[in-house]
Amino acid sequence: MKLGLIGFPLEHSLSPVMQEAALRSAGLEGSYRLLETPPAFLRARLQEVRRVYAGVNVTIPHKETVLPYLDGLSPEAQAIGAVNTIVREGDRLIGHNTDAPGFISGLDEAGIAYRGRRALILGAGGAARAVAYALKEEGAQVALYNRTPERAKALCQALGLHLVTVESLEIAVRSADLLINTTSVGLKDPSSSPLPPGLLPRAGVVVDIVYNPPITRLLREAQQAGLPTLGGLPMLVWQGALAFELWTGYRADVQAMYAAARAQLAQTPI
Ligand code: ATR
């Protein structure tokens, strides 16, 4: 079973070790390769996928631009407007989005409640879109703040979210039951945070979808303030586990995927 990841650039991805651990655990023969694909080669890469791959993951910068090349979309991928998993069905390529249910599975695994709760999302990129869609579908009250207000406004209108402006940010953060950083602030940089120092929920859970470093500055400050936190690894592992199940029809060994991802992360420079 040939699997892989389409993106550009593709440094330090944890997906090959996670997916190969899941394949081994399920007793399946197969491989998961990094398919580095500059934008100009996306069309050709998808032709190759159609010929020889059972499925692939899709990452930056192709999650949205890949849509016109596909033959069908799952309802989630359609609503989010982004695809992170392609499944080949015969000679058809079907786009799915496992980022959204992957985020929810990570919350469920950690015992974090969201239904009916006030969730505040920081960021308005593709990751914010998947997280916002997932939380909204699951019955959370979702608000969103972004550095660039026009992007926040567009996303809030598209998904029916509450728009938080810079003026209302402080009150929104303090009253959030769930604060989720989906911006790239803190990625490979333990010294930066998407919020000013000292601004944290009064009693909410703080989630950062950044997984490298495992504890971002935002999470460290939340922990120091005594708040419960969740890092980005669960969303990464669960989106991969759900993709594996779509490709193979086998249950993914999530613990084996965690172990493989943690081992690789320990060797990966921040
Ligand atoms: P992705 O698809 O991974 O979510 P993206 O579309 O590039 O990536 O979105 C990145 C997000 O991080 C955006 O919300 C971006 O804010 P802008 O819309 O204002 O660009 C946010 N972001 C990146 N760097 C930031 C910074 N230094 N401060 C605040 N927000 C930042």
Side-chain angles (χ1 to χ4, degrees), residues 60 63-64 122-128 146-148 151 182-185 194:
I60 293 166
K63 283 187 178 183
E64 290 161 28
L122 306 178
N146 189 50
R147 173 182 64 178
T148 307
R151 278 186 98 186
T182 72
T183 76
S184 47
V185 182

Side-chain angles (χ1 to χ4, degrees), residues 27-263:
L28 294 171
E29 293 244 346
S31 63
Y32 186 103
R33 301 246 157 78
L34 293 181
L35 305 170
E36 201 155 57
T37 306
F41 294 105
L42 182 58
R43 177 190 290 270
R45 180 67 83 192
L46 286 162
Q47 282 165 354
E48 183 191 358
V49 169
R50 208 183 283 276
R51 282 198 315 273
V52 291
Y53 282 81
V56 288
N57 283 130
V58 181
T59 189
I60 293 166
H62 301 312
K63 283 187 178 183
E64 290 161 28
T65 51
V66 78
L67 264 70
Y69 300 110
L70 302 177
D71 305 300
L73 292 176
S74 72
E76 287 90 352
Q78 177 94 51
I80 297 166
V83 161
N84 81 321
T85 302
I86 298 174
V87 181
R88 184 163 65 83
E89 293 179 8
D91 63 353
R92 299 178 78 230
L93 296 182
I94 309 298
H96 296 256
N97 190 307
T98 67
D99 287 331
F103 177 74
I104 297 296
S105 295
L107 296 183
D108 287 341
E109 181 186 47
I112 297 170
Y114 41 80
R115 199 174 299 275
R117 305 295 169 99
R118 274 174 306 218
L120 173 61
I121 294 172
L122 306 178
R129 205 177 166 95
V131 168
Y133 170 83
L135 284 170
K136 183 111 204 288
E137 283 289 296
E138 296 294 333
Q141 301 174 47
V142 186
L144 183 137
Y145 170 79
N146 189 50
R147 173 182 64 178
T148 307
E150 295 73 28
R151 278 186 98 186
K153 207 169 165 185
L155 187 47
C156 286
Q157 276 170 357
L159 295 184
L161 316 175
H162 177 71
L163 177 67
V164 173
T165 61
V166 71
E167 292 79 22
S168 57
L169 179 62
E170 184 169 339
I171 197 161
V173 170
R174 294 218 190 278
S175 59
D177 298 315
L178 204 55
L179 175 82
I180 306 112
N181 175 44
T182 72
T183 76
S184 47
V185 182
L187 178 64
K188 299 189 179 168
D189 180 4
S191 70
S192 65
S193 167
L195 289 177
L199 180 56
L200 287 169
R202 262 192 296 269
V205 181
V206 177
V207 183
D208 199 330
I209 69 163
V210 168
Y211 60 83
N212 188 13
I215 311 271
T216 58
R217 177 168 171 187
L218 176 68
L219 293 185
R220 198 170 60 245
E221 290 179 355
Q223 287 173 355
Q224 283 163 358
L227 299 174
T229 61
L230 187 69
L233 195 58
M235 180 178 181
L236 180 79
V237 168
W238 281 100
Q239 66 74 31
L242 297 171
F244 179 87
E245 291 175 3
L246 286 171
W247 295 322
T248 66
Y250 282 69
R251 180 57 62 91
D253 183 343
V254 173
Q255 293 318 315
M257 296 178 84
Y258 266 113
R262 286 203 177 98

